[in-house]
Amino acid sequence: RKEVEQDPGPFNVPEGATVAFNCTYSNSASQSFFWYRQDCRKEPKLLMSVYSSGNEDGRFTAQLNRASQYISLLIRDSKLSDSATYLCVVTSNAGKSTFGDGTTLTVKP
Amino acid sequence: DTGVSQDPRHKITKRGQNVTFRCDPISEHNRLYWYRQTLGQGPEFLTYFQNEAQLEKSRLLSDRFSAERPKGSFSTLEIQRTEQGDSAMYLCASSPEYEQYFGPGTRLTVT
């Protein structure tokens, strides 16, 4: 079993839809959590941090559930430009970062 | 541009040759990470530095891989005796604490 698991998708949604991704992790000592966005043949770019109290940035909301060891990302009012691969990453207190393999989102007109 | 830079952007080498990649982090960031990424996979952790100290190294890494960050600024990743399975994108990221900022990567092709 992988340390960090994501549903690979693809998720194909119409513009304006709400879509949610989940990511589960196995290391209960994990310390920090983030979502990244990666466009085709580009480097990952930081999207947002994830906290137990939740984190909202415009149309994006991220949430951490430590008890169940999963993080989520909610995208409201999807835009064509949201089409990308979304990666979750979990960092241990020793500094090792583990990425999921990503969830692919395609937003269609 | 004050982002993370990597050099070269592309490298084609023959099997058995050694290659070295360079990463220049964002200047005030004391943490530096190396990853390898292949198509359809997320970045795979290779190693992590805090300043010049290499604090974590993946057990997946064979002895052919070595990384240095001699003065706590730029870093190099060397792969000795390259194999076709080493073909991948090699990504570097720097971090002030936890969030990481990636460079554009070095694409390695081993023929």
Side-chain angles (χ1 to χ4, degrees), chain A residues 12-67:
Chain A
N12 297 309
V13 303
E15 272 187 292
T18 295
V19 61
F21 308 136
N22 285 333
C23 170
T24 58
Y25 61 95
S26 58
N27 184 356
S28 59
S30 298
Q31 187 174 47
S32 61
F33 310 85
F34 298 91
W35 282 100
Y36 281 76
R37 170 198 171 120
Q38 187 170 29
D39 294 294
C40 188
R41 303 185 75 83
K42 297 284 192 180
E43 73 272 20
K45 291 194 183 297
L46 178 65
L47 184 63
M48 59 197 308
S49 308
V50 190
Y51 309 114
S52 297
S53 56
N55 188 14
E56 185 172 324
D57 183 4
R59 298 181 293 108
F60 297 81
T61 301
Q63 188 78 48
L64 165 65
N65 185 319
R66 282 192 183 271

Tab-separated table of all heavy atoms in Angstrom, chain A residues 12-67:
chain	number	residue	atom	x	y	z
A	12	ASN	N	-13.969	14.312	-15.089
A	12	ASN	CA	-14.400	15.161	-16.200
A	12	ASN	C	-15.681	15.863	-15.764
A	12	ASN	O	-16.688	15.209	-15.517
A	12	ASN	CB	-14.658	14.332	-17.452
A	12	ASN	CG	-13.401	13.639	-17.948
A	12	ASN	OD1	-12.370	14.280	-18.120
A	12	ASN	ND2	-13.476	12.339	-18.154
A	13	VAL	N	-15.613	17.187	-15.626
A	13	VAL	CA	-16.760	17.929	-15.116
A	13	VAL	C	-17.060	19.103	-16.024
A	13	VAL	O	-16.179	19.620	-16.711
A	13	VAL	CB	-16.506	18.429	-13.675
A	13	VAL	CG1	-16.181	17.252	-12.746
A	13	VAL	CG2	-15.425	19.474	-13.631
A	14	PRO	N	-18.312	19.565	-16.039
A	14	PRO	CA	-18.642	20.762	-16.832
A	14	PRO	C	-18.247	22.021	-16.073
A	14	PRO	O	-18.124	22.016	-14.831
A	14	PRO	CB	-20.165	20.660	-16.981
A	14	PRO	CG	-20.605	19.902	-15.780
A	14	PRO	CD	-19.497	18.948	-15.448
A	15	GLU	N	-18.040	23.079	-16.807
A	15	GLU	CA	-17.788	24.384	-16.175
A	15	GLU	C	-18.877	24.683	-15.159
A	15	GLU	O	-20.057	24.396	-15.387
A	15	GLU	CB	-17.833	25.490	-17.241
A	15	GLU	CG	-16.527	25.761	-17.919
A	15	GLU	CD	-16.625	26.988	-18.824
A	15	GLU	OE1	-17.341	26.905	-19.837
A	15	GLU	OE2	-16.004	28.005	-18.486
A	16	GLY	N	-18.448	25.249	-14.048
A	16	GLY	CA	-19.418	25.628	-13.018
A	16	GLY	C	-19.697	24.531	-11.998
A	16	GLY	O	-20.316	24.805	-10.966
A	17	ALA	N	-19.220	23.344	-12.254
A	17	ALA	CA	-19.462	22.233	-11.328
A	17	ALA	C	-18.596	22.366	-10.082
A	17	ALA	O	-17.583	23.062	-10.062
A	17	ALA	CB	-19.169	20.901	-12.020
A	18	THR	N	-19.026	21.669	-9.044
A	18	THR	CA	-18.217	21.528	-7.827
A	18	THR	C	-17.616	20.127	-7.834
A	18	THR	O	-18.301	19.148	-8.106
A	18	THR	CB	-19.088	21.717	-6.582
A	18	THR	OG1	-19.578	23.064	-6.552
A	18	THR	CG2	-18.289	21.451	-5.314
A	19	VAL	N	-16.326	20.057	-7.545
A	19	VAL	CA	-15.641	18.767	-7.563
A	19	VAL	C	-14.786	18.648	-6.309
A	19	VAL	O	-14.258	19.653	-5.815
A	19	VAL	CB	-14.792	18.616	-8.851
A	19	VAL	CG1	-13.720	19.679	-8.933
A	19	VAL	CG2	-14.212	17.228	-8.956
A	20	ALA	N	-14.698	17.426	-5.792
A	20	ALA	CA	-13.932	17.188	-4.562
A	20	ALA	C	-12.957	16.034	-4.766
A	20	ALA	O	-13.304	15.023	-5.384
A	20	ALA	CB	-14.885	16.874	-3.405
A	21	PHE	N	-11.753	16.224	-4.249
A	21	PHE	CA	-10.726	15.184	-4.290
A	21	PHE	C	-10.344	14.810	-2.862
A	21	PHE	O	-10.259	15.687	-1.997
A	21	PHE	CB	-9.451	15.682	-4.986
A	21	PHE	CG	-9.667	16.296	-6.329
A	21	PHE	CD1	-9.035	17.465	-6.683
A	21	PHE	CD2	-10.512	15.699	-7.258
A	21	PHE	CE1	-9.227	18.040	-7.921
A	21	PHE	CE2	-10.708	16.274	-8.496
A	21	PHE	CZ	-10.070	17.456	-8.828
A	22	ASN	N	-10.058	13.551	-2.666
A	22	ASN	CA	-9.560	13.095	-1.382
A	22	ASN	C	-8.174	12.497	-1.518
A	22	ASN	O	-7.787	12.028	-2.596
A	22	ASN	CB	-10.493	12.036	-0.784
A	22	ASN	CG	-11.755	12.638	-0.234
A	22	ASN	OD1	-11.790	13.797	0.165
A	22	ASN	ND2	-12.813	11.852	-0.221
A	23	CYS	N	-7.461	12.483	-0.411
A	23	CYS	CA	-6.118	11.936	-0.380
A	23	CYS	C	-5.955	11.301	0.999
A	23	CYS	O	-6.233	11.953	2.011
A	23	CYS	CB	-5.128	13.082	-0.590
A	23	CYS	SG	-3.413	12.671	-0.311
A	24	THR	N	-5.550	10.040	1.045
A	24	THR	CA	-5.342	9.384	2.334
A	24	THR	C	-3.855	9.144	2.552
A	24	THR	O	-3.095	8.953	1.598
A	24	THR	CB	-6.084	8.040	2.402
A	24	THR	OG1	-5.627	7.192	1.337
A	24	THR	CG2	-7.585	8.237	2.270
A	25	TYR	N	-3.438	9.173	3.809
A	25	TYR	CA	-2.029	8.948	4.131
A	25	TYR	C	-1.917	7.952	5.277
A	25	TYR	O	-2.828	7.822	6.093
A	25	TYR	CB	-1.322	10.270	4.475
A	25	TYR	CG	-1.879	10.998	5.671
A	25	TYR	CD1	-1.319	10.832	6.937
A	25	TYR	CD2	-2.959	11.869	5.534
A	25	TYR	CE1	-1.827	11.507	8.033
A	25	TYR	CE2	-3.470	12.542	6.629
A	25	TYR	CZ	-2.908	12.362	7.870
A	25	TYR	OH	-3.420	13.027	8.957
A	26	SER	N	-0.791	7.264	5.325
A	26	SER	CA	-0.660	6.171	6.298
A	26	SER	C	0.196	6.534	7.512
A	26	SER	O	0.088	5.884	8.558
A	26	SER	CB	-0.070	4.937	5.618
A	26	SER	OG	1.191	5.237	5.055
A	27	ASN	N	1.040	7.555	7.406
A	27	ASN	CA	1.943	7.896	8.512
A	27	ASN	C	1.259	8.851	9.481
A	27	ASN	O	1.094	10.035	9.188
A	27	ASN	CB	3.227	8.524	7.964
A	27	ASN	CG	4.252	8.824	9.055
A	27	ASN	OD1	3.975	8.639	10.241
A	27	ASN	ND2	5.417	9.282	8.663
A	28	SER	N	0.889	8.341	10.623
A	28	SER	CA	0.153	9.162	11.588
A	28	SER	C	1.009	10.271	12.179
A	28	SER	O	0.490	11.204	12.782
A	28	SER	CB	-0.404	8.277	12.718
A	28	SER	OG	0.663	7.605	13.375
A	29	ALA	N	2.343	10.197	11.986
A	29	ALA	CA	3.236	11.235	12.504
A	29	ALA	C	3.421	12.375	11.510
A	29	ALA	O	4.230	13.273	11.746
A	29	ALA	CB	4.597	10.631	12.855
A	30	SER	N	2.703	12.333	10.422
A	30	SER	CA	2.833	13.387	9.409
A	30	SER	C	2.510	14.740	10.012
A	30	SER	O	1.601	14.869	10.840
A	30	SER	CB	1.902	13.101	8.225
A	30	SER	OG	2.267	11.884	7.610
A	31	GLN	N	3.253	15.736	9.550
A	31	GLN	CA	3.207	17.032	10.218
A	31	GLN	C	2.589	18.141	9.382
A	31	GLN	O	1.887	18.989	9.919
A	31	GLN	CB	4.634	17.422	10.601
A	31	GLN	CG	4.760	18.653	11.456
A	31	GLN	CD	6.182	18.851	11.890
A	31	GLN	OE1	7.095	18.768	11.080
A	31	GLN	NE2	6.384	19.110	13.162
A	32	SER	N	2.866	18.156	8.100
A	32	SER	CA	2.336	19.239	7.268
A	32	SER	C	1.767	18.663	5.981
A	32	SER	O	2.199	17.619	5.504
A	32	SER	CB	3.416	20.283	6.971
A	32	SER	OG	4.497	19.727	6.279
A	33	PHE	N	0.799	19.392	5.446
A	33	PHE	CA	-0.009	18.886	4.334
A	33	PHE	C	-0.280	20.016	3.344
A	33	PHE	O	-0.601	21.148	3.756
A	33	PHE	CB	-1.352	18.350	4.876
A	33	PHE	CG	-1.197	17.397	6.027
A	33	PHE	CD1	-1.076	17.870	7.321
A	33	PHE	CD2	-1.168	16.033	5.811
A	33	PHE	CE1	-0.915	17.000	8.399
A	33	PHE	CE2	-1.025	15.151	6.872
A	33	PHE	CZ	-0.893	15.637	8.163
A	34	PHE	N	-0.166	19.694	2.061
A	34	PHE	CA	-0.377	20.706	1.039
A	34	PHE	C	-1.054	20.081	-0.180
A	34	PHE	O	-0.943	18.875	-0.416
A	34	PHE	CB	0.957	21.312	0.576
A	34	PHE	CG	1.698	22.021	1.669
A	34	PHE	CD1	2.614	21.356	2.455
A	34	PHE	CD2	1.478	23.367	1.903
A	34	PHE	CE1	3.295	21.999	3.461
A	34	PHE	CE2	2.161	24.031	2.908
A	34	PHE	CZ	3.076	23.344	3.691
A	35	TRP	N	-1.695	20.943	-0.952
A	35	TRP	CA	-2.152	20.584	-2.294
A	35	TRP	C	-1.325	21.362	-3.309
A	35	TRP	O	-1.079	22.558	-3.125
A	35	TRP	CB	-3.631	20.922	-2.486
A	35	TRP	CG	-4.560	19.937	-1.846
A	35	TRP	CD1	-5.207	20.070	-0.662
A	35	TRP	CD2	-4.946	18.662	-2.369
A	35	TRP	NE1	-5.969	18.969	-0.403
A	35	TRP	CE2	-5.841	18.080	-1.442
A	35	TRP	CE3	-4.649	17.954	-3.540
A	35	TRP	CZ2	-6.423	16.830	-1.634
A	35	TRP	CZ3	-5.224	16.713	-3.737
A	35	TRP	CH2	-6.094	16.161	-2.788
A	36	TYR	N	-0.917	20.663	-4.363
A	36	TYR	CA	-0.199	21.274	-5.477
A	36	TYR	C	-0.992	21.034	-6.744
A	36	TYR	O	-1.734	20.054	-6.863
A	36	TYR	CB	1.202	20.653	-5.639
A	36	TYR	CG	2.220	21.182	-4.656
A	36	TYR	CD1	2.201	20.765	-3.330
A	36	TYR	CD2	3.176	22.108	-5.042
A	36	TYR	CE1	3.115	21.260	-2.417
A	36	TYR	CE2	4.107	22.603	-4.143
A	36	TYR	CZ	4.063	22.182	-2.838
A	36	TYR	OH	4.966	22.669	-1.940
A	37	ARG	N	-0.761	21.917	-7.698
A	37	ARG	CA	-1.344	21.773	-9.019
A	37	ARG	C	-0.189	21.571	-9.990
A	37	ARG	O	0.837	22.258	-9.903
A	37	ARG	CB	-2.105	23.057	-9.356
A	37	ARG	CG	-2.558	23.146	-10.782
A	37	ARG	CD	-2.906	24.552	-11.182
A	37	ARG	NE	-3.112	24.580	-12.615
A	37	ARG	CZ	-4.245	24.931	-13.190
A	37	ARG	NH1	-5.267	25.330	-12.439
A	37	ARG	NH2	-4.366	24.912	-14.490
A	38	GLN	N	-0.363	20.625	-10.932
A	38	GLN	CA	0.664	20.398	-11.936
A	38	GLN	C	0.024	20.363	-13.314
A	38	GLN	O	-0.839	19.529	-13.574
A	38	GLN	CB	1.444	19.101	-11.670
A	38	GLN	CG	2.637	18.919	-12.596
A	38	GLN	CD	3.548	17.774	-12.190
A	38	GLN	OE1	3.120	16.808	-11.592
A	38	GLN	NE2	4.834	17.891	-12.506
A	39	ASP	N	0.462	21.277	-14.158
A	39	ASP	CA	0.035	21.273	-15.552
A	39	ASP	C	0.958	20.365	-16.349
A	39	ASP	O	2.103	20.107	-15.953
A	39	ASP	CB	0.038	22.702	-16.104
A	39	ASP	CG	-1.010	23.555	-15.422
A	39	ASP	OD1	-2.195	23.277	-15.609
A	39	ASP	OD2	-0.633	24.472	-14.677
A	40	CYS	N	0.461	19.932	-17.503
A	40	CYS	CA	1.189	18.966	-18.320
A	40	CYS	C	2.601	19.465	-18.631
A	40	CYS	O	2.785	20.595	-19.101
A	40	CYS	CB	0.410	18.711	-19.612
A	40	CYS	SG	1.076	17.376	-20.588
A	41	ARG	N	3.584	18.642	-18.317
A	41	ARG	CA	4.994	18.907	-18.608
A	41	ARG	C	5.536	20.153	-17.898
A	41	ARG	O	6.509	20.759	-18.333
A	41	ARG	CB	5.212	19.011	-20.116
A	41	ARG	CG	4.758	17.759	-20.866
A	41	ARG	CD	5.092	17.825	-22.324
A	41	ARG	NE	6.517	17.604	-22.565
A	41	ARG	CZ	7.084	16.423	-22.652
A	41	ARG	NH1	6.360	15.320	-22.482
A	41	ARG	NH2	8.370	16.304	-22.878
A	42	LYS	N	4.897	20.515	-16.796
A	42	LYS	CA	5.368	21.638	-15.978
A	42	LYS	C	5.676	21.141	-14.571
A	42	LYS	O	5.294	20.033	-14.200
A	42	LYS	CB	4.296	22.720	-15.897
A	42	LYS	CG	3.960	23.344	-17.228
A	42	LYS	CD	5.036	24.296	-17.662
A	42	LYS	CE	4.575	25.128	-18.841
A	42	LYS	NZ	5.630	26.069	-19.283
A	43	GLU	N	6.339	21.986	-13.784
A	43	GLU	CA	6.615	21.617	-12.408
A	43	GLU	C	5.384	21.822	-11.536
A	43	GLU	O	4.515	22.649	-11.857
A	43	GLU	CB	7.794	22.442	-11.856
A	43	GLU	CG	7.490	23.897	-11.567
A	43	GLU	CD	7.690	24.793	-12.772
A	43	GLU	OE1	7.693	24.289	-13.917
A	43	GLU	OE2	7.854	26.002	-12.544
A	44	PRO	N	5.296	21.116	-10.405
A	44	PRO	CA	4.176	21.346	-9.484
A	44	PRO	C	4.234	22.758	-8.917
A	44	PRO	O	5.312	23.292	-8.645
A	44	PRO	CB	4.409	20.310	-8.372
A	44	PRO	CG	5.308	19.286	-8.967
A	44	PRO	CD	6.173	20.026	-9.943
A	45	LYS	N	3.064	23.345	-8.742
A	45	LYS	CA	2.973	24.679	-8.135
A	45	LYS	C	2.084	24.597	-6.901
A	45	LYS	O	1.017	23.975	-6.927
A	45	LYS	CB	2.402	25.684	-9.132
A	45	LYS	CG	3.367	25.988	-10.282
A	45	LYS	CD	2.951	27.208	-11.045
A	45	LYS	CE	3.868	27.464	-12.224
A	45	LYS	NZ	5.256	27.738	-11.812
A	46	LEU	N	2.524	25.244	-5.842
A	46	LEU	CA	1.791	25.237	-4.582
A	46	LEU	C	0.408	25.853	-4.777
A	46	LEU	O	0.279	26.971	-5.280
A	46	LEU	CB	2.580	26.013	-3.527
A	46	LEU	CG	1.936	26.138	-2.160
A	46	LEU	CD1	1.819	24.765	-1.491
A	46	LEU	CD2	2.752	27.092	-1.279
A	47	LEU	N	-0.604	25.115	-4.351
A	47	LEU	CA	-1.984	25.609	-4.428
A	47	LEU	C	-2.413	26.147	-3.072
A	47	LEU	O	-2.822	27.298	-2.945
A	47	LEU	CB	-2.908	24.479	-4.887
A	47	LEU	CG	-4.376	24.828	-5.110
A	47	LEU	CD1	-4.525	25.836	-6.229
A	47	LEU	CD2	-5.184	23.564	-5.420
A	48	MET	N	-2.322	25.300	-2.047
A	48	MET	CA	-2.685	25.765	-0.724
A	48	MET	C	-2.241	24.801	0.357
A	48	MET	O	-2.019	23.621	0.106
A	48	MET	CB	-4.190	26.018	-0.612
A	48	MET	CG	-5.071	24.834	-0.887
A	48	MET	SD	-6.785	25.325	-1.219
A	48	MET	CE	-7.187	26.372	0.169
A	49	SER	N	-2.118	25.360	1.552
A	49	SER	CA	-1.824	24.552	2.741
A	49	SER	C	-3.115	23.920	3.238
A	49	SER	O	-4.213	24.389	2.915
A	49	SER	CB	-1.248	25.437	3.839
A	49	SER	OG	-0.170	26.193	3.365
A	50	VAL	N	-2.973	22.892	4.057
A	50	VAL	CA	-4.139	22.193	4.588
A	50	VAL	C	-4.030	22.136	6.097
A	50	VAL	O	-3.008	21.687	6.627
A	50	VAL	CB	-4.236	20.753	4.034
A	50	VAL	CG1	-5.582	20.136	4.397
A	50	VAL	CG2	-4.032	20.722	2.532
A	51	TYR	N	-5.067	22.592	6.785
A	51	TYR	CA	-5.077	22.600	8.240
A	51	TYR	C	-6.326	21.886	8.743
A	51	TYR	O	-7.324	21.785	8.043
A	51	TYR	CB	-5.095	24.039	8.770
A	51	TYR	CG	-4.042	24.933	8.179
A	51	TYR	CD1	-4.405	26.010	7.378
A	51	TYR	CD2	-2.689	24.721	8.423
A	51	TYR	CE1	-3.451	26.849	6.835
A	51	TYR	CE2	-1.735	25.552	7.874
A	51	TYR	CZ	-2.112	26.615	7.084
A	51	TYR	OH	-1.165	27.437	6.538
A	52	SER	N	-6.271	21.465	9.986
A	52	SER	CA	-7.443	20.815	10.591
A	52	SER	C	-8.631	21.765	10.651
A	52	SER	O	-9.787	21.350	10.564
A	52	SER	CB	-7.106	20.325	12.003
A	52	SER	OG	-6.105	19.339	11.971
A	53	SER	N	-8.340	23.027	10.790
A	53	SER	CA	-9.421	24.022	10.888
A	53	SER	C	-9.971	24.392	9.522
A	53	SER	O	-10.922	25.160	9.413
A	53	SER	CB	-8.897	25.277	11.573
A	53	SER	OG	-7.764	25.771	10.889
A	54	GLY	N	-9.362	23.837	8.470
A	54	GLY	CA	-9.812	24.159	7.115
A	54	GLY	C	-9.094	25.391	6.594
A	54	GLY	O	-8.609	26.232	7.347
A	55	ASN	N	-9.014	25.476	5.286
A	55	ASN	CA	-8.348	26.598	4.643
A	55	ASN	C	-9.093	26.904	3.357
A	55	ASN	O	-9.314	26.015	2.545
A	55	ASN	CB	-6.887	26.223	4.350
A	55	ASN	CG	-6.079	27.396	3.861
A	55	ASN	OD1	-6.505	28.544	3.975
A	55	ASN	ND2	-4.915	27.127	3.328
A	56	GLU	N	-9.514	28.148	3.211
A	56	GLU	CA	-10.285	28.527	2.029
A	56	GLU	C	-9.560	29.633	1.294
A	56	GLU	O	-9.045	30.582	1.911
A	56	GLU	CB	-11.686	28.999	2.447
A	56	GLU	CG	-12.605	29.292	1.282
A	56	GLU	CD	-14.042	29.565	1.720
A	56	GLU	OE1	-14.498	28.931	2.679
A	56	GLU	OE2	-14.679	30.429	1.096
A	57	ASP	N	-9.500	29.503	-0.024
A	57	ASP	CA	-8.874	30.524	-0.863
A	57	ASP	C	-9.727	30.661	-2.111
A	57	ASP	O	-9.593	29.873	-3.047
A	57	ASP	CB	-7.436	30.115	-1.210
A	57	ASP	CG	-6.722	31.177	-2.026
A	57	ASP	OD1	-7.306	32.266	-2.255
A	57	ASP	OD2	-5.573	30.924	-2.429
A	58	GLY	N	-10.617	31.621	-2.072
A	58	GLY	CA	-11.508	31.819	-3.214
A	58	GLY	C	-12.400	30.620	-3.430
A	58	GLY	O	-13.144	30.212	-2.536
A	59	ARG	N	-12.295	30.005	-4.577
A	59	ARG	CA	-13.148	28.861	-4.916
A	59	ARG	C	-12.607	27.541	-4.358
A	59	ARG	O	-13.240	26.500	-4.522
A	59	ARG	CB	-13.262	28.762	-6.450
A	59	ARG	CG	-13.900	29.973	-7.110
A	59	ARG	CD	-14.007	29.798	-8.615
A	59	ARG	NE	-12.696	29.776	-9.284
A	59	ARG	CZ	-12.142	28.677	-9.798
A	59	ARG	NH1	-12.764	27.514	-9.743
A	59	ARG	NH2	-10.965	28.743	-10.396
A	60	PHE	N	-11.475	27.582	-3.727
A	60	PHE	CA	-10.812	26.366	-3.253
A	60	PHE	C	-10.896	26.270	-1.723
A	60	PHE	O	-10.634	27.235	-1.022
A	60	PHE	CB	-9.341	26.369	-3.675
A	60	PHE	CG	-9.136	26.365	-5.163
A	60	PHE	CD1	-9.222	27.535	-5.899
A	60	PHE	CD2	-8.860	25.189	-5.822
A	60	PHE	CE1	-9.041	27.531	-7.280
A	60	PHE	CE2	-8.670	25.164	-7.195
A	60	PHE	CZ	-8.764	26.346	-7.922
A	61	THR	N	-11.251	25.072	-1.257
A	61	THR	CA	-11.285	24.801	0.178
A	61	THR	C	-10.551	23.499	0.452
A	61	THR	O	-10.814	22.489	-0.204
A	61	THR	CB	-12.725	24.679	0.697
A	61	THR	OG1	-13.426	25.891	0.425
A	61	THR	CG2	-12.733	24.411	2.196
A	62	ALA	N	-9.630	23.518	1.396
A	62	ALA	CA	-8.891	22.318	1.774
A	62	ALA	C	-9.168	21.996	3.231
A	62	ALA	O	-9.384	22.889	4.049
A	62	ALA	CB	-7.394	22.530	1.567
A	63	GLN	N	-9.176	20.720	3.530
A	63	GLN	CA	-9.500	20.271	4.886
A	63	GLN	C	-8.630	19.080	5.247
A	63	GLN	O	-8.326	18.245	4.396
A	63	GLN	CB	-10.971	19.862	4.958
A	63	GLN	CG	-11.490	19.566	6.347
A	63	GLN	CD	-11.785	20.821	7.138
A	63	GLN	OE1	-12.437	21.729	6.652
A	63	GLN	NE2	-11.308	20.879	8.375
A	64	LEU	N	-8.261	19.029	6.525
A	64	LEU	CA	-7.479	17.911	7.046
A	64	LEU	C	-8.292	17.186	8.108
A	64	LEU	O	-8.849	17.823	9.003
A	64	LEU	CB	-6.176	18.434	7.664
A	64	LEU	CG	-5.387	17.483	8.567
A	64	LEU	CD1	-4.865	16.278	7.795
A	64	LEU	CD2	-4.244	18.228	9.254
A	65	ASN	N	-8.343	15.879	8.036
A	65	ASN	CA	-8.966	15.064	9.070
A	65	ASN	C	-7.892	14.131	9.616
A	65	ASN	O	-7.581	13.098	9.026
A	65	ASN	CB	-10.143	14.260	8.488
A	65	ASN	CG	-10.897	13.479	9.543
A	65	ASN	OD1	-10.299	12.888	10.447
A	65	ASN	ND2	-12.208	13.463	9.445
A	66	ARG	N	-7.304	14.525	10.747
A	66	ARG	CA	-6.192	13.747	11.301
A	66	ARG	C	-6.650	12.382	11.818
A	66	ARG	O	-5.928	11.402	11.701
A	66	ARG	CB	-5.517	14.510	12.434
A	66	ARG	CG	-4.582	15.613	11.971
A	66	ARG	CD	-3.753	16.116	13.137
A	66	ARG	NE	-2.893	17.226	12.749
A	66	ARG	CZ	-1.658	17.055	12.273
A	66	ARG	NH1	-1.158	15.851	12.122
A	66	ARG	NH2	-0.925	18.119	11.949
A	67	ALA	N	-7.835	12.333	12.368
A	67	ALA	CA	-8.317	11.070	12.951
A	67	ALA	C	-8.453	9.997	11.863
A	67	ALA	O	-8.106	8.832	12.071
A	67	ALA	CB	-9.653	11.291	13.653
